[in-house]
Amino acid sequence: MNHFELRDGVMHAEDIPLPRIAEEIGTPVYVYSRATLERHAQAFRDGLKDVPRKHLAFAIKSNPNLGVLRVLARQGYGADVVSGGELERALAAGMAAEDIVFSGVGKTRAELAQGLDRGIGQFNIEHEPEGIALAEIALAKEMTAPAVLRVNPDVDAGTHAKISTGKADNKFGVGIDVAPEIFARLSALPGLNLRGIAVHIGSQLTSLAPFEAAFKRVGELVADLRAAGHSITHVDLGGGLGVPYRAGDNIIPPSPADYGAMVARVTRDWDVTLMFEPGRVIAGNSGVLLTETLWVKPGATHPFVIVDAAMNDLARPALYDAWHDFVAVKPSGETMTASIVGPVCETGDTFARDRLIDKVEAGDLAVFCSAGAYGATMASTYNSRSLVPEVLVDGDRYAVVADRIAAGTIMAAERVPDWID
Ligand SMILES: *Cc1c(COP(=O)(O)O)cnc(C)c1O
């Protein structure tokens, strides 16, 4: 459920007609709905109603916009961060340091120190040397770092290979078979309060089975660690719950309620604080990318609809062959079969091939749906295009929450050395 819908034949974000945003801000532009963000944040929490002790940390890599983060902070969400930059964003958005979890496969020593200085709530350790480094840095600061060990459960998440993270040959976590010995060595280090386990097997999961398989393995590991005398108080179950991207698709991701019921059943006897790192399930369907049709050009089989958004603004189709529904802002009721492409000089700058879509002509507005997660945050200025702006709608008002950064501003940060003559 989201708050992007047709009213009197015109697509709105909550109470704002999208042509108004196009006219006042220009296109392409990301448009987020506060009510949708809040609804999803609430639905995820409600789904976990049978989990007695829990901590919700929004995976801010999915949408790090400060306005979006503030909305989620007010919903009681902390943050899962994967860099020092994201850590500062979470704090700037008003999230409490103790509600921040630091994930990420390649944290630097400087980032570990930054996390300690900021007093964050938990470090998710990716491998033994990182744990040793964290313990050393903490000890030098006369601190104790709260931490869990991320394990790789060797489960196939059944999602796109580029966003699978829990197979044995992925770069994330330590193998679950060697986890007990690594846990034993790390937990003996002064400077570290190793209190549990983390797992995150991938993103855009459309079935509960891989989650359940991974969580059960973690449950067995927790029992083994306790039997070996370790105190386990926290288990971080990561994120990864998928969202529907395609209207009428027959693959429907599990609802937060179904996910939560499975989690409650599998973890019933764990007696820990469970931590969650949802990203896409909160932000994905809370945003659209609003674009204008520049040209409609004949093609060999079907026409090309050339829009003013491109792969630099929304990378997911080029990166993961991802599907985003394309809907006219003022649909006429007529349809056409076309390929939807952007202006960037790459064949990969293709949003859809030979797809049945609302009929559009030059000048018509349209949206790419479900663009609230892994959208603007992956944008670049490739082809010297501007950095795409972001707007947050709240009922009948909206605000620009990220400016369009003009190509000239980017160019102003570059220098020609005077020794080139
Ligand atoms: C990316 C990521 C998430 C969020 O994944 P979603 O699929 O957006 O829910 C959570 N935890 C970790 C460690 C991640 O890398």
Side-chain angles (χ1 to χ4, degrees), residues 59 61-62 80 82 103 150 200 202-204 238-241 277-281 374:
K61 78 171 191 278
S62 67
D80 170 53
V82 294
S103 300
R150 178 167 178 181
H200 171 75
S203 198
Q204 185 53 18
L241 189 56
E277 304 168 347
R280 189 189 310 269
V281 72
Y374 307 102

Side-chain angles (χ1 to χ4, degrees), residues 17-36:
L18 291 184
R20 192 176 136 200
I21 293 176
E23 187 175 325
E24 294 174 1
I25 310 302
T27 55
V29 56
Y30 278 90
V31 182
Y32 307 128
S33 153
R34 177 181 182 172
T36 311

Side-chain angles (χ1 to χ4, degrees), residues 104-310:
V105 75
K107 304 179 207 71
T108 64
R109 283 182 164 73
E111 286 175 322
L112 295 172
Q114 181 186 354
L116 286 166
D117 291 341
R118 295 300 201 177
I120 67 164
Q122 180 172 293
F123 294 85
N124 290 8
I125 296 173
E126 283 274 348
H127 62 152
E128 189 169 2
E130 184 193 39
I132 294 170
L134 177 61
E136 282 169 5
I137 298 166
L139 208 55
K141 293 178 183 290
E142 298 183 352
M143 297 173 81
T144 305
V148 299
L149 180 64
R150 178 167 178 181
V151 298
N152 184 322
D154 194 19
V155 165
D156 186 347
T159 184
H160 192 281
K162 287 185 185 169
I163 47 176
S164 286
T165 58
K167 282 290 287 173
D169 59 357
N170 292 145
K171 68 180 177 180
F172 300 96
V174 301
I176 198 158
D177 48 331
V178 292
E181 27 182 303
I182 295 174
F183 195 99
R185 290 196 291 270
L186 287 178
S187 65
L189 297 177
L192 219 52
N193 170 20
L194 196 60
R195 62 189 196 180
I197 294 295
V199 68
H200 171 75
I201 58 172
S203 198
Q204 185 53 18
L205 272 71
T206 52
S207 156
L208 290 179
F211 282 122
E212 183 162 348
F215 298 168
K216 283 186 169 153
R217 285 183 195 176
V218 168
E220 287 161 17
L221 175 62
V222 167
D224 290 350
L225 291 170
R226 283 182 171 150
H230 300 293
S231 162
I232 304 294
T233 57
H234 290 73
V235 175
D236 186 335
L237 296 181
L241 189 56
V243 300
Y245 276 101
R246 190 170 171 173
D249 199 358
N250 50 12
I251 301 171
I252 299 168
S255 66
D258 291 345
Y259 170 84
M262 179 275 291
V263 167
R265 173 169 52 79
V266 173
T267 66
R268 192 181 306 123
D269 303 323
W270 288 15
D271 188 25
V272 294
T273 296
L274 285 182
M275 310 178 69
F276 299 89
E277 304 168 347
R280 189 189 310 269
V281 72
I282 308 283
N285 280 304
S286 300
V288 299
L289 175 59
L290 177 59
T291 187
E292 185 181 314
T293 306
L294 296 174
W295 310 98
V296 179
K297 170 180 168 173
T301 45
H302 295 294
F304 290 104
V305 169
I306 306 172
V307 295
D308 67 356

